[in-house]
Amino acid sequence: MKAYFPILNWLPRYKRTYLSGDISAGLTVGIMLIPQGMAYAMIAGLPPVYGLYAALIPQIIYAIMGTSRQIAIGPVAMDSLLIASGLGALSISGIENYIAMAIFLSLFIGTIQILLGFLKMGFLVNFLSRPVISGFTSAAALIIGISQLKHLLGISISSNKTLPILKQTFSQLDQINPLAVVVGLSGIGIMLLLKRIHSQIPTAIVVVILGIAMAYFTPITDYGLQLVGKIPEGLPGFKVPEIPWSELGQLFTLALAMALIAFMEVVSIGKALEEKVKTSRLVPNQELIALGTGNIVGSFFQCYPTTAGFSRTAVNFQAGAKTGVAALISAALVGLTLLFLTPVFYYLPNAILASIIMLAITSLIDLKYPKELYKNQKDEFALLIVTFLITLFVGIQEGIILGVLFSLLLMVYRTSKPHMAVLGQIKGTTYFKNVNRFATDIIERKDILVVRFDAQLFFGNKDYFYSELNKHIMSKGPQLKTVIINAEAINYIDSSAIYILKHLILELREKDILLMIAAATGPTRDILFKTGVTEMLGPENLFVRVVEAVEFIDGIHPRTEIEDRVSRQSF
């Protein structure tokens, strides 16, 4: 029960000190959800009230079943755009049918997510490397900030893409509302000042109250300051989603794509938070089940698909959320708003919400990690930058998907050209080390070549292994009589590499060069025996340690002693 309902783990150990942070974060995120939910529903082509419905039930489910205590679940802009584009491509007549299709999509996506969770497909997120997550998160944070420019500047922008937003912003510089700029910047300034006075002050709530009071008691709205406005009343009722059997085939691709993208978004946000929060760890398979359950249950209460929101999660974390109680408070506030509080939030300026979001995203932008990568690992730095640029200028889902693809290509490239070291014996010892690292203390013989291949041998690097080994053989010249492969780092050899090994044995034999293998692990030796490599090599040329192979060549140890050691190690 605790595995499927993590609330049973943290709720009994809930501390009183958590409550102030949870209340502050819950109220702040709840306030944000009201205008955001309505706006995102409109992006999806739905009536605004459906965004508030989506901010209610899935949030409660995630607080009970989710493994992150800071992630904020609800409607998001990117998924709303995907719904609009996906359903817009179908022949749907009438707004009622469109709404029914969007609600069914939530049921469909949730079913796929739960199925993936129970099938333990959460391992897919293991391919989200830290450079990809860092680049993706930083770019997404900037996208969120750029999207708030219209509220901060008091202008009208129709696009949700970075470059069009910037282009429209520069084309409307003469239409900027100075009052909106002053209100937004004042909100940021007040929050920064209050944070310096005391870190526990709920800064976002303070500026929201000040913003509402200013708009209510002064004629400031007469100067074009945009407010949240009227919010529809009433809680969502229970209704079984209609299943469009004739459209299932067309909806499957969209549902599968959205299920995976929503999961990746949650895990990306969760992993970014793990760097800052040490009290909980994300469990990918349970996240799939929690997301899926939220979408399924939500679909029975007229919710369209939901996932984690970057801006709300950032605000949730910055406002001091410690547990899922913050999400329950957010959901309660949305519910109370639908029932009773719509007149209160009517006067909330959009510029104040923009200031809260823009200050919150600063915690998601990581500059230290890219600097470390640039100094130490240029290839991973390039991966981070590519992911960042694609996410920022192409799209969020393209950024994460292509980032994962590029990280896999980088991994394949590395495994196709692993490290190969030429070893020499350190003077006065039985140790063999890389000649490039211990140049002054190494005994390097002309008649013996000792190499260490630091990876498994498989079809992707067999040709590299063969060519690099031949380069070292050629560099030794005609005095070379024996090649010893130190196989301690080779944990597997596939059939393609076995073929290369057999070919190498015969090729070296024609050149009167003897091939020996030393320090192979048990599983690797089993492969050598089963595939006939040992028989072709000769059991007498398989050694436990490199030094024993060299001593046998020099006649220091008899063969029978070495064979006994190999026999004991092999079986």
Side-chain angles (χ1 to χ4, degrees):
M1 290 291 289
K2 288 182 178 180
Y4 291 111
F5 300 97
I7 191 173
L8 299 177
N9 285 314
W10 58 261
L11 190 59
R13 293 178 290 186
Y14 191 85
K15 298 178 182 178
R16 185 178 297 177
T17 54
Y18 294 166
L19 191 58
S20 61
D22 282 341
I23 291 175
S24 173
L27 292 175
T28 305
V29 173
I31 291 168
M32 285 181 62
L33 265 171
I34 295 164
Q36 280 191 356
M38 296 172 66
Y40 295 159
M42 293 177 68
I43 292 172
L46 299 167
V49 70
Y50 286 91
L52 297 181
Y53 295 163
L56 198 59
I57 301 300
Q59 224 183 159
I60 297 172
I61 298 297
Y62 187 84
I64 297 170
M65 301 184 68
T67 58
S68 172
R69 303 179 192 179
Q70 282 80 29
I71 284 179
I73 297 294
V76 296
M78 189 53 63
D79 282 14
S80 298
L81 285 173
L82 288 171
I83 291 169
S85 61
L87 296 185
L90 302 177
S91 300
I92 303 174
S93 58
I95 186 64
E96 293 300 324
N97 291 330
Y98 186 92
I99 293 171
M101 196 75 79
I103 293 172
F104 169 73
L105 196 57
S106 180
L107 176 65
F108 203 176
I109 290 171
T111 303
I112 292 173
Q113 288 170 332
I114 282 187
L115 184 61
L116 292 175
F118 281 116
L119 292 175
K120 308 295 183 184
M121 299 298 285
F123 73 88
L124 292 171
V125 300
N126 292 334
F127 297 105
L128 286 171
S129 63
R130 190 180 173 191
V132 170
I133 293 171
S134 179
F136 173 69
T137 305
S138 297
L142 285 178
I143 292 171
I144 294 164
I146 291 170
S147 71
Q148 297 304 306
L149 285 176
K150 60 183 178 182
H151 299 305
L152 195 66
L153 302 178
I155 58 178
S156 177
I157 296 175
S158 58
S159 177
N160 288 294
K161 295 284 187 179
T162 302
L163 289 177
I165 288 175
L166 294 175
K167 184 178 179 181
Q168 290 183 37
T169 299
F170 283 112
S171 68
Q172 299 182 62
L173 290 178
D174 58 334
Q175 302 176 30
I176 289 176
N177 185 338
L179 184 59
V181 176
V182 170
V183 170
L185 294 180
S186 297
I188 294 174
I190 291 170
M191 286 187 285
L192 288 174
L193 179 62
L194 292 176
K195 275 296 180 188
R196 293 193 67 177
I197 294 173
H198 198 287
S199 61
Q200 297 302 315
I201 296 176
T203 57
I205 294 178
V206 172
V207 297
V208 164
I209 293 173
L210 290 175
I212 292 174
M214 176 186 62
Y216 184 79
F217 292 109
T218 69
I220 201 169
T221 54
D222 296 339
Y223 299 94
L225 186 66
Q226 295 179 342
L227 304 179
V228 167
K230 184 177 175 62
I231 301 172
E233 296 180 341
L235 293 175
F238 180 87
K239 185 179 179 182
V240 178
E242 299 177 15
I243 302 177
W245 297 104
S246 60
E247 308 287 351
L248 283 182
Q250 292 176 284
L251 286 176
F252 176 75
T253 304
L254 176 62
L256 179 61
M258 290 188 63
L260 293 174
I261 289 171
F263 175 52
M264 287 185 178
E265 287 173 348
V266 168
V267 174
S268 298
I269 296 170
K271 285 186 174 290
L273 283 174
E274 281 182 2
E275 300 293 325
K276 306 175 186 296
V277 182
K278 309 298 181 183
T279 55
S280 61
R281 302 290 291 179
L282 207 71
V283 182
N285 291 318
Q286 179 57 25
E287 288 296 297
L288 278 167
I289 294 172
L291 278 177
T293 305
N295 278 320
I296 289 175
V297 176
S299 69
F300 286 88
F301 291 91
Q302 303 177 57
C303 299
Y304 76 94
T306 57
T307 185
F310 270 99
S311 59
R312 291 192 301 272
T313 299
V315 170
N316 200 37
F317 172 74
Q318 190 177 14
K322 302 296 182 184
T323 69
V325 169
L328 296 176
I329 292 172
S330 297
L333 183 58
V334 173
L336 288 173
T337 300
L338 283 168
L339 290 172
F340 311 112
L341 303 178
T342 50
V344 175
F345 295 105
Y346 179 93
Y347 292 95
L348 177 60
N350 286 335
I352 291 293
L353 282 174
S355 68
I356 295 172
I357 293 171
M358 295 188 85
L359 187 60
I361 63 170
T362 57
S363 64
L364 292 175
I365 300 175
D366 187 358
L367 297 178
K368 182 180 178 182
Y369 181 60
K371 290 180 181 178
E372 292 176 358
L373 287 183
Y374 182 76
K375 290 180 180 178
N376 304 318
Q377 293 168 295
K378 294 289 196 300
D379 53 353
E380 293 196 39
F381 174 76
L383 176 62
L384 186 151
I385 294 299
V386 168
T387 303
F388 174 83
L389 293 175
I390 292 174
T391 304
L392 184 61
F393 295 112
V394 180
I396 287 181
Q397 62 268 54
E398 289 88 352
I400 193 69
I401 292 171
L402 290 176
V404 170
L405 176 61
F406 289 143
S407 64
L408 291 176
L409 290 175
L410 180 60
M411 180 188 70
V412 170
Y413 175 78
R414 286 173 177 166
T415 56
S416 67
K417 293 187 176 182
H419 180 251
M420 177 182 277
V422 176
L423 308 182
Q425 188 171 3
I426 297 180
K427 296 176 183 178
T429 72
T430 59
Y431 297 110
F432 283 76
K433 298 295 181 181
N434 190 335
V435 296
N436 293 325
R437 294 179 179 273
F438 300 85
T440 58
D441 301 318
I442 287 288
I443 302 172
E444 192 174 2
R445 294 170 55 165
K446 295 291 186 181
D447 61 329
I448 299 176
L449 172 65
V450 183
V451 296
R452 188 186 68 234
F453 193 69
D454 294 334
Q456 63 172 280
L457 260 173
F458 72 113
F459 64 92
N461 61 25
K462 61 178 178 59
D463 293 331
Y464 176 78
F465 166 79
Y466 178 77
S467 63
E468 287 297 300
L469 184 58
N470 271 321
K471 286 180 184 178
H472 293 306
I473 290 172
M474 294 294 291
S475 66
K476 283 288 186 179
Q479 298 179 46
L480 181 63
K481 298 299 179 184
T482 308
V483 174
I484 303 173
I485 298 175
N486 181 345
E488 61 182 328
I490 302 175
N491 56 16
Y492 183 75
I493 307 175
D494 75 355
S495 59
S496 300
I498 288 295
Y499 175 82
I500 286 292
L501 276 178
K502 290 181 177 180
H503 175 73
L504 186 64
I505 293 169
L506 297 176
E507 188 178 75
L508 291 178
R509 190 172 294 167
E510 291 179 358
K511 298 177 182 179
D512 292 326
I513 298 174
L514 181 63
L515 180 65
M516 294 179 171
I517 297 177
T521 61
T524 303
R525 286 197 301 272
D526 290 341
I527 294 172
L528 295 175
F529 275 101
K530 290 176 182 178
T531 57
V533 172
T534 303
E535 183 180 354
M536 182 178 290
L537 184 73
E540 70 278 5
N541 294 318
L542 192 64
F543 295 86
V544 176
R545 296 189 301 161
V546 173
V547 67
E548 292 179 351
V550 174
E551 288 174 347
F552 176 71
I553 293 169
D554 294 338
I556 297 175
H557 286 300
R559 177 68 249 177
T560 53
E561 181 181 344
I562 302 297
E563 287 175 343
D564 288 341
R565 293 184 188 180
V566 174
S567 178
R568 288 196 300 272
Q569 290 286 327
S570 298
F571 301 99

